[in-house]
Amino acid sequence: MGKSGLLLVGFVLCVVYFSGAVSAFRTCAEARYCCPGRNNTCFAHGPRMDNDNKQERCFCDQECVTMGDCCIDYTQTCSGKDCLVDEWGSWSKCSETCGYGTQRRKRKVLRHRQNGGKRCPVLHEKRACVGDQCFAVQSVEFRGKELGEVGNILPAEFGRWRTSSQYSMRHDIRRNLIENRLSNEVPTRLAYCARFTIVSTSLYCNTTEFSKKWANELQLRKTVCVQCDPFAMDKDLGTRCKGHGVYKEVTRWNAVDVPYCTGLWRQETEPTDCVCDVDLKDSFILI
């Protein structure tokens, strides 16, 4: 037999081998076929869903559903399966222990989509949160510095009338008191307040001038509410107001815009997330 004859025999054997291999696949599962759209090469040699025994082929493409010539296992093997996910996990801790931060949660994929099923939904979520551990302890590191600071105060109405020329920090001596802090980034820490007892006060706090009569409330042994707003916080001091006092210790205060009205007070309550009642005359704000 010549060379051409050997090649012909080899070709025939290959055809017989692969035909036998293909004919061995009687279902989509055996052939491992699940084809999108219409694909005339996506077939096996097994029973069909339409029970047409005269046909030698059954198909595993999506179009077979319309044509009715699917392999008998097509629905079970090739129908699209949607992504399946687990329940949401718990929210993580707030990213900030003090002030605004974010919380995150996630869920796992239990089964990825198959054969054109629905894609997986969102697997990660985040939301805003507020850390509330701002005042668990007062700074030990800066305790000495805090004891030496002076709390510059205005009536709590300043928080409401911040844009008023009468209480504007851009006017008169107040501009000099906080000029260096105006460039600080406004912090995200919440407002906090504490109560102080006046242990020393100046005679100059008693005034009849209408715009300064608020200082008359700073009388000996009187307890007042003092508030620190985010607007007045200094990030270089650990995101707090300068002169905010030390719990159970005596520090100094100064009535802004009332010349020589100064004194001492003792912090009676630890700072907490709160605001002073602006409608009460014994409420003040640090600047």
Side-chain angles (χ1 to χ4, degrees):
M1 185 181 291
K3 183 175 181 181
S4 59
L6 292 173
L7 290 173
L8 179 60
V9 171
F11 175 76
V12 172
L13 291 174
C14 288
V15 170
V16 171
Y17 173 79
F18 284 109
S19 297
V22 171
S23 64
F25 299 146
R26 296 182 56 78
T27 62
C28 297
E30 290 179 4
R32 296 184 179 179
Y33 284 161
C34 286
C35 306
R38 183 170 184 173
N39 189 335
N40 291 334
T41 65
C42 187
F43 64 86
H45 291 266
R48 294 164 41 136
M49 293 177 67
D50 60 4
N51 296 317
D52 188 346
N53 297 325
K54 295 180 181 180
Q55 301 295 330
E56 297 180 355
R57 297 177 179 179
C58 64
F59 290 86
C60 302
D61 61 336
Q62 287 180 325
E63 190 66 20
C64 77
V65 177
T66 303
M67 301 299 294
D69 53 7
C70 300
C71 294
I72 198 165
D73 72 325
Y74 176 81
T75 302
Q76 179 180 357
T77 303
C78 297
S79 292
K81 294 181 180 179
D82 298 338
C83 174
L84 185 63
V85 297
D86 199 358
E87 296 293 330
W88 284 109
S90 300
W91 286 104
S92 66
K93 292 183 178 179
C94 191
S95 61
E96 298 293 333
T97 57
C98 176
Y100 296 107
T102 55
Q103 286 180 296
R104 301 176 185 273
R105 68 175 181 176
K106 59 183 180 180
R107 53 185 172 183
K108 297 180 180 179
V109 175
L110 300 179
R111 182 186 68 206
H112 290 279
R113 72 168 183 153
Q114 300 172 8
N115 304 321
K118 292 183 180 179
R119 298 179 181 274
C120 294
V122 174
L123 301 176
H124 299 270
E125 283 188 340
K126 65 178 181 179
R127 68 181 182 184
C129 59
V130 178
D132 59 0
Q133 302 301 311
C134 300
F135 317 107
V137 293
Q138 199 155 17
S139 171
V140 175
E141 180 182 359
F142 298 103
R143 180 183 174 89
K145 183 176 183 179
E146 291 170 347
L147 285 171
E149 291 176 350
V150 178
N152 292 300
I153 58 173
L154 281 172
E157 292 172 316
F158 171 73
R160 177 190 294 169
W161 298 340
R162 188 171 288 148
T163 58
S164 167
S165 61
Q166 180 180 354
Y167 293 104
S168 172
M169 292 197 291
R170 288 294 188 180
H171 288 70
D172 54 64
I173 63 170
R174 287 167 287 178
R175 184 176 186 277
N176 297 325
L177 290 173
I178 60 164
E179 185 66 29
N180 292 332
R181 283 187 280 150
L182 290 175
S183 61
N184 284 342
E185 177 185 352
V186 176
T188 57
R189 182 177 181 177
L190 297 175
Y192 63 91
C193 68
R195 298 198 68 83
F196 292 77
T197 297
I198 306 295
V199 297
S200 173
T201 187
S202 169
L203 293 176
Y204 295 97
C205 297
N206 293 317
T207 176
T208 58
E209 188 174 345
F210 179 77
S211 63
K212 297 176 174 52
K213 289 181 67 174
W214 61 269
N216 294 342
E217 298 297 322
L218 298 166
Q219 299 299 316
L220 188 65
R221 291 185 292 276
K222 187 166 185 176
T223 300
V224 297
C225 180
V226 182
Q227 176 180 323
C228 173
D229 269 347
F231 182 84
M233 292 178 187
D234 192 325
K235 65 179 180 180
D236 295 330
L237 294 177
T239 317
R240 65 175 177 83
C241 287
K242 185 176 181 180
H244 71 165
V246 177
Y247 182 52
K248 291 300 182 183
E249 298 289 346
V250 174
T251 54
R252 292 180 294 163
W253 55 267
N254 173 61
V256 176
D257 205 25
V258 183
Y260 309 111
C261 179
T262 62
L264 302 174
W265 57 18
R266 181 175 59 250
Q267 191 180 99
E268 303 293 358
T269 62
E270 293 190 73
T272 56
D273 294 332
C274 64
V275 292
C276 300
D277 189 342
V278 296
D279 294 323
L280 298 179
K281 294 182 179 181
D282 60 354
S283 295
F284 301 93
I285 192 169
L286 291 163
I287 68 168

